Structures are given as C-alpha cells and as structure tokens.
Amino acid sequence: MQDLREIMEFVSSLFKGRQIDIITGGAFKAIFLVLCLAVVLPVGIRKKYRTARILLIILSVFSYLTYFSYTYMPLPLGPADVEYNFDSVNLVLQQMWPPLFDIDFFRDFSLVINIYLKPFALMLAFSFICTVTFRKLRKPAFFAVFAVSAVAFEIVYVLVCNFISGGLKYIYDLTLPFAELFALIVGYLLARLLIYLNRDTVDKIFAAKKTAIKENVI
C-alpha cells in the first residue's frame, strides 16, 4: 500500500507540474518497471517467448528493483545535506565504512537485520530468479561476471551520486559486497538444483512457441 501511495503522489506531481524533490521507493520501482515492460513485452512477443518466460524476466527485474529500492531509496534530489568529512579516519574515501565497522551482532541486532539480512534475502531471490530465467547465467563464468558486476554497480552508483551531489547522500558499507556475493552464490546454487530436479519443466518454459500451420484441404 505504501508503494501504491508513493506512485500516486509521484504521478500527481508530474501531471500538476510540481517540483519533485525526492524519488521514493515506490516511484523508483514504477518508473523502471514500466521501462522494463516497454522493452520485454514487444521483444518477447516478436521472439515468440512463452508467457511463463516473459513473466520470469519481468519478475527478475522486479526482484532487483525491490532490492535496490529497499537499499538506496528514497533518493533526495539536489545537493547533499552532509559534506565530505576529510578529517575522518573512520571512512574510506570519506564515504565508505570499512568492513565490519563498529557493530556488534547481538547489541545491534536490528541494525544487522536491516543492513545485512534483508538485503541478503533479496539478493538471494534475485540471483535465484535470474539463474532460472537466463540460461547463460547457469554457466559459472557468466554467473561470476554477473555477480561481480551487480556488486560493482552499487559501489559506482554510490560514488557517482555522492560526487554529483557534492557531499554524502550515501555512506556505503564495504561489508555488503561480501554478504551480497555470498547471497548471489547461494541463490545460484539453489536455482541450479531446482533446474536439475525439474529439467523437463524448465525446458518447456524456454521452448519457443510453435507456429500453427494450416493444412489446405483439396
């Protein structure tokens, strides 16, 4: 319901010409899901993808949008409120926490849940769906490139946003790449196990639709 409310507020601001000061999680997911549908549906229909395959592609995109929205939204537009602290010895490049910074699993359990466990579960789901959906990702070499790229993209996103805003919109935790890579690997292995146990079903999903041929009766 919150996402729907955020989408309605975003659409209302667009139509009324109001200045948009923040990109909320709901608006972020809506924008990129519409772009995904605009690309996937025409391509899927032209290539005669089965409905299940098209839905899996959309679901894989939505799973990543959900993860990214949870981790990095809302995004305030305009200059950052916090400037770089060049005197800080605790941050790497003045914008990243070093791995396993001052945090205790039991003392800061709720913080650990929000920073690590929820993103871990979302990235695992994303990896699982993508491995089932895209056949090339089932090859270890392709998956390795995919996993490293997914993690590197987030780091680049944080650095670019901070650079453009001239301050700290994000402080990135350098422990996250290790947690995320582990989650991606677990999702990949679970998907490979599912595919191995249900080979015939998976093959049917990826088989192209057969074009019906009408026979002429003489």
Side-chain angles (χ1 to χ4, degrees), residues 104-116:
D104 182 89
F105 182 82
F106 296 101
R107 183 192 66 202
D108 307 308
F109 184 70
S110 62
L111 186 62
V112 171
I113 292 289
N114 288 327
I115 294 178
Y116 302 114

Side-chain angles (χ1 to χ4, degrees), residues 16-38:
K16 292 181 180 179
R18 294 198 299 259
Q19 182 177 353
I20 298 174
D21 299 320
I22 189 171
I23 301 295
T24 60
F28 170 80
K29 285 190 283 188
I31 292 169
F32 284 94
L33 195 56
V34 168
L35 292 176
C36 168
L37 292 173

Side-chain angles (χ1 to χ4, degrees), residues 116-196:
Y116 302 114
L117 296 189
K118 285 184 179 179
F120 180 91
L122 292 171
M123 284 298 269
L124 189 154
F126 170 61
S127 174
F128 179 87
I129 297 170
C130 283
T131 304
V132 173
T133 304
F134 303 102
R135 284 182 287 189
K136 283 190 175 181
L137 289 184
R138 299 172 197 171
K139 298 179 180 179
F142 279 97
F143 177 79
V145 173
F146 163 76
V148 172
S149 299
V151 173
F153 170 76
E154 294 179 37
I155 298 175
V156 172
Y157 170 79
V158 169
L159 295 177
V160 169
C161 280
N162 287 341
F163 176 77
I164 292 175
S165 65
L168 293 179
K169 284 197 173 182
Y170 301 103
I171 297 181
Y172 186 79
D173 178 7
L174 287 172
T175 305
L176 272 177
F178 301 99
E180 291 173 357
L181 284 173
F182 182 58
L184 289 167
I185 292 171
V186 172
Y188 170 77
L189 294 176
L190 290 175
R192 289 298 304 269
L193 178 62
L194 175 72
I195 293 167
Y196 176 78

Side-chain angles (χ1 to χ4, degrees), residues 9-99:
E9 290 175 356
F10 179 77
V11 172
S12 175
S13 297
L14 284 179
F15 279 102
K16 292 181 180 179
R18 294 198 299 259
Q19 182 177 353
I20 298 174
D21 299 320
I22 189 171
I23 301 295
T24 60
F28 170 80
K29 285 190 283 188
I31 292 169
F32 284 94
L33 195 56
V34 168
L35 292 176
C36 168
L37 292 173
V39 174
V40 172
L41 290 179
V43 171
I45 293 172
R46 183 169 60 85
K47 290 183 173 292
K48 295 183 173 60
Y49 287 170
R50 293 184 180 275
T51 303
R53 186 176 182 181
I54 295 175
L55 290 176
L56 279 173
I57 294 173
I58 295 171
L59 184 60
S60 66
V61 174
F62 182 76
S63 66
Y64 186 75
L65 292 178
T66 301
Y67 162 76
F68 200 87
S69 171
Y70 172 80
T71 309
Y72 297 105
M73 297 294 143
L75 172 63
L77 303 178
D81 295 329
V82 181
E83 296 182 356
Y84 292 114
N85 182 6
F86 291 98
D87 295 328
S88 175
V89 295
N90 296 321
L91 295 178
V92 178
L93 299 177
Q94 287 78 47
Q95 51 196 312
M96 296 181 172
W97 290 115

